[in-house]
């Protein structure tokens, strides 16, 4: 079996953990036919080398698929996923990144969750495990993004 993330251990050397994007968690929870396998392997590989972290925005995005908080906490146990609040500095950086997005022609009128997630990774010295790297690379070029190297096919 090939690695989901090439050079993971070296790429994590300057990071204090991995912020796990909701798309990875949802791929696994829904057994997504296109991304579920990659997301599960990547998450397992990251967990072998560092601390997995989620924040309230990621928790909220994943919660949509569950009817109770107990069910959600069963799939996101605090023993596996460290819960971190968003740093105030991340809120500031998210706002500045959103302003850049708007100046580049973005049409949304309020900051997208991705800006908060990317800012948290940047401020917190965290790698970001995601399969949707384009926006993060564009607005947070300094963070270590752990994403697929090629498009998956169904």
């Amino acid at each position: 079996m090939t690695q989901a993330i090439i050079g993971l251990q070296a790429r994590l050397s300057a990071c204090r953990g991995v912020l796990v994007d909701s798309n990875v968690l949802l791929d696994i929870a829904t057994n997504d036919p296109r991304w579920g396998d990659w997301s599960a392997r990547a998450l397992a590989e990251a967990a072998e080398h560092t601390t997995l972290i989620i924040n309230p925005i990621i928790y909220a995005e994943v919660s949509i698929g569950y009817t109770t908080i107990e069910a959600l906490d069963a799939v996101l146990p605090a023993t596996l996923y460290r819960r971190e609040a968003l740093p105030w500095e991340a809120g500031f950086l998210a706002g500045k990144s959103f302003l850049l997005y708007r100046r580049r022609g973005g049409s949304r009128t309020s900051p997208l969750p991705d800006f908060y997630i990317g800012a948290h990774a940047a401020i917190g010295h965290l790698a970001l495990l995601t399969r949707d790297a384009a926006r993060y690379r564009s607005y947070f070029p300094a963070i270590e993004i752990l994403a697929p190297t090629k498009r998956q096919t169904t």
Side-chain angles (χ1 to χ4, degrees):
M1 181 180 288
T2 61
Q3 287 184 307
I5 304 167
I6 305 300
L8 178 64
Q9 197 165 2
R11 294 172 67 188
L12 293 175
S13 64
C15 303
R16 65 175 185 84
V18 171
L19 190 61
V20 182
D21 200 359
S22 55
N23 57 35
V24 171
L25 298 169
L26 290 169
D27 289 345
I28 296 166
T30 63
N31 199 23
D32 183 272
R34 179 179 233 175
W35 292 106
D37 200 38
W38 180 87
S39 291
R41 284 187 297 121
L43 185 67
E45 288 173 15
E48 286 180 28
H49 297 287
T50 193
T51 302
L52 302 177
I53 299 168
I54 59 173
N55 65 31
I57 292 172
I58 294 164
Y59 189 85
E61 288 181 328
V62 175
S63 77
I64 293 169
Y66 297 89
T67 56
T68 66
I69 197 168
E70 293 82 9
L72 178 61
D73 285 343
V75 298
L76 296 177
T79 55
L80 182 58
Y81 299 96
R82 179 187 300 161
R83 286 148 164 75
E84 288 191 3
L86 286 168
W88 288 100
E89 296 87 352
F92 182 83
L93 181 56
K96 294 304 176 195
S97 298
F98 178 73
L99 182 60
L100 180 58
Y101 160 82
R102 293 285 295 167
R103 287 182 177 156
R104 290 179 176 173
S107 60
R108 303 278 177 114
T109 57
S110 64
L112 302 171
D114 290 350
F115 287 107
Y116 291 108
I117 292 167
H120 185 184
I123 296 297
H125 306 287
L126 302 169
L128 178 61
L129 177 60
T130 184
R131 64 166 164 75
D132 184 22
R135 181 175 291 130
Y136 295 116
R137 283 196 176 111
S138 180
Y139 294 99
F140 303 97
I143 65 174
E144 182 66 54
I145 297 172
L146 309 174
T149 55
K150 61 181 182 173
R151 300 295 287 167
Q152 300 289 317
T153 57
T154 50

